[in-house]
Each structure stands twice: as structure tokens, then as C-alpha cells.
Amino acid sequence: MKTNHTVRGLQYAVAYLGALVSLYPIFLMLTSSLKTNIQILKNPMSLPTSISFAAYSKLVHQIPFFTYFWNSLVVSVVSVVLILLFGVMASFYIARYPFRWNGALFFFFLLGMMIPIKLGIVPLFLLMKKLSMLNSIWSLVSVYTAIGMPLAILILTGFFRTLPKELEEAARIDGASDFGVMWHVLLPLIRPAIGTVMIMNFIMAWNDFFFPLIFIQDDTMKTIPVGMLSLFGQYSTDLSMLFAGLTLASVPMMVIFFLASKQFMEGMTAGAVK
């Protein structure tokens, strides 16, 4: 009995240590945003001697940060919604309707994970130019949706295939349509997969630097990763403003993570009870 308590105590200690190591960079980023640039350069690991929100005020007034923030939010949310919408429908069709080319269609979607999209950046840029989508958030939304679809279909199809056919048959006996079966019966049971797809694709779209740098030149259309470049000077960088921007930019990712994590746990509990 004493051995079990010792092992459990060690497990808790390791868990707390891992949480501390994971959260410390966030804590350091937050405290650095409350210090002056001189304090950061003199002692970057210390706590602020006095709390100052001057960096946040300078950030808002010197660059259009909230414009960048809004652009990133719109691009990320719309991309995730489209990925979930098309991914759920395609995965439901592949997983629940056996037909001759079922495996080939599934493999076709998985090819998107095997071929790096950045290798085709030149023809992709020319395509966006021909479609008049340069300097538009829709160029980013279309690319992120295409990037996120293969992994979403892989995850969602696997979850759909694990659900028993009896649930679907019972719903059809009660008069449910194909959409009703998917929306009311099967979709609530794959919330863990939806939460996973949501987290992964939101973080991918929110943090991406490459495609906004290529497709967006207009300052009013830039997202946070590209817009924050203006804080880096040739000879000096205002680190306090940089950390303030990073702190504000990390808030949506934390919110979406906690919301999706809650859905993940609720989905696991509901699936276990049923």
C-alpha cells in the first residue's frame, strides 16, 4: 500500500514538473510584455520590478495590430469551418457507403498529405493571380482548407468506421434521412475527432507565415505572423512590444484549445456511456 502511494506521488511530481516546464515559456512571455525593453535586455529571466502596460499601448498605436488580429481570426475560423464541413461529409460518405472506388477515393485524399504543397508555390501563385485572389483573405482560406482536408478526412473516416451499424439502422427505421443520421446520430459520437481536427487546423492557419508572405502585400490584409515583422528593426527591436504582441496573439489559440479539449472529454464520456 505504501509502495502504491509512493509511485502515485512520483507520478504526480513528474506531471507537475512537465506542466511547469510547458507553462514557463508562456509565463516568461507574459512577464516580459510587462517590462521595459531595458529590463528585458539587462535581465531577461527576472520578474518585472514594476508592472507597465506601455508596451501594449505602443503596440496598438504604432502598428494596426487589431487589423492583423481580425484578419488572422477570420482566416482561421473560416478555414476550420470549411474543413469540418467538407471533411465530415466526405468522411461520412467514404466510411458508411461501400462502393467500387471507395479505397481509391480515400487514397486520393491521402495524397494531399504525401505531396508538400509548398513545392507548387509558383503555379499556385499564378493560379491565385489569374483568379484575382491575391491580396485577399480568400486566397489563404482556400489554401488552408486544401491543406487541412486530407488529415481531417483521415481522422474523421477512422472514427466513422468505428461506430456500429446498428445505430444507423435504428435511426433509418425511425425515419431519419441520410443527413439526419449523420447530424443527429453519428456526429455527436465523433466529437473527439472534431475537437482534434479543430485544434490542429486552427493552430496551423493562425501560425502560418509562409502563405500570407507570398499572397498578401496589402498592409490591411496581413495576418499577425507577417504583420509582426514590422516590429523587427534593422539595428534594434523593441522586445517589450514584441512580447506584448505575442501575448495577445496567443489568446485565441488558448481559447480554442480549452473549448476543443472540453468537447473532446465530453465526447469520450458520451461515447463510453452509450
Side-chain angles (χ1 to χ4, degrees):
M1 197 72 179
K2 186 176 180 180
T3 304
N4 291 336
H5 285 298
T6 304
V7 172
R8 180 168 296 182
L10 290 174
Q11 291 174 343
Y12 278 120
V14 172
Y16 285 133
L17 180 61
L20 181 63
V21 171
S22 300
L23 293 175
Y24 182 73
I26 300 176
F27 173 76
L28 184 62
M29 176 181 66
L30 177 60
T31 55
S32 297
S33 68
L34 301 175
K35 297 192 291 187
T36 64
N37 205 41
I38 297 176
Q39 290 176 341
I40 297 175
L41 293 173
K42 288 179 63 176
N43 198 344
M45 308 300 289
S46 66
L47 294 174
T49 55
S50 60
I51 297 178
S52 173
F53 294 95
Y56 292 92
S57 178
K58 287 163 51 179
L59 177 72
V60 172
H61 289 93
Q62 291 189 15
I63 65 172
F65 179 81
F66 287 114
T67 300
Y68 303 151
F69 188 94
W70 174 252
N71 293 337
S72 293
L73 189 63
V74 171
V75 168
S76 302
V77 170
V78 174
S79 299
V80 169
V81 170
L82 292 178
I83 290 170
L84 289 176
L85 177 64
F86 296 127
V88 165
M89 292 191 294
S91 302
F92 175 73
Y93 184 75
I94 292 173
R96 310 305 285 191
Y97 292 91
F99 55 94
R100 184 177 181 183
W101 299 104
N102 188 295
L105 180 61
F106 184 59
F107 180 75
F108 172 77
F109 281 112
L110 296 188
L111 284 176
M113 299 173 56
M114 306 174 191
I115 304 174
I117 192 171
K118 291 180 182 179
L119 293 179
I121 188 60
V122 174
L124 193 59
F125 179 85
L126 296 176
L127 176 63
M128 293 297 175
K129 183 178 180 180
K130 184 173 292 187
L131 295 174
S132 301
M133 293 178 65
L134 293 179
N135 280 322
S136 169
I137 61 174
W138 296 109
S139 61
L140 302 178
V141 168
S142 60
V143 170
Y144 294 150
T145 304
I147 293 174
M149 281 289 292
L151 184 59
I153 290 176
L154 175 64
I155 295 173
L156 295 172
T157 301
F159 270 74
F160 272 124
R161 285 175 175 171
T162 61
L163 301 179
K165 289 282 187 179
E166 289 76 11
L167 292 173
E168 183 177 344
E169 293 170 356
R172 293 188 186 279
I173 291 175
D174 290 338
S177 62
D178 290 345
F179 179 80
V181 170
M182 180 190 72
W183 183 261
H184 296 291
V185 179
L186 301 183
L187 204 60
L189 299 177
I190 64 166
R191 281 182 292 179
I194 292 176
T196 302
V197 172
M198 186 186 303
I199 291 175
M200 295 178 64
N201 287 287
F202 186 90
I203 293 177
M204 178 271 296
W206 185 269
N207 289 334
D208 184 60
F209 175 80
F210 181 77
F211 289 107
L213 182 65
I214 300 298
F215 294 148
I216 306 296
Q217 288 82 41
D218 190 352
D219 198 54
T220 60
M221 291 287 109
K222 289 180 179 179
T223 56
I224 286 179
V226 178
M228 294 278 286
L229 275 179
S230 59
L231 298 179
F232 291 90
Q234 183 176 1
Y235 301 105
S236 63
T237 300
D238 194 329
L239 296 177
S240 60
M241 283 181 59
L242 180 62
F243 281 114
L246 293 175
T247 301
L248 294 177
S250 63
V251 171
M253 288 190 291
M254 296 180 185
V255 171
I256 196 68
F257 178 79
F258 285 120
L259 291 177
S261 296
K262 182 180 179 181
Q263 292 296 322
F264 182 88
M265 296 306 298
E266 288 180 355
M268 290 292 287
T269 304
V273 172
K274 292 182 180 180

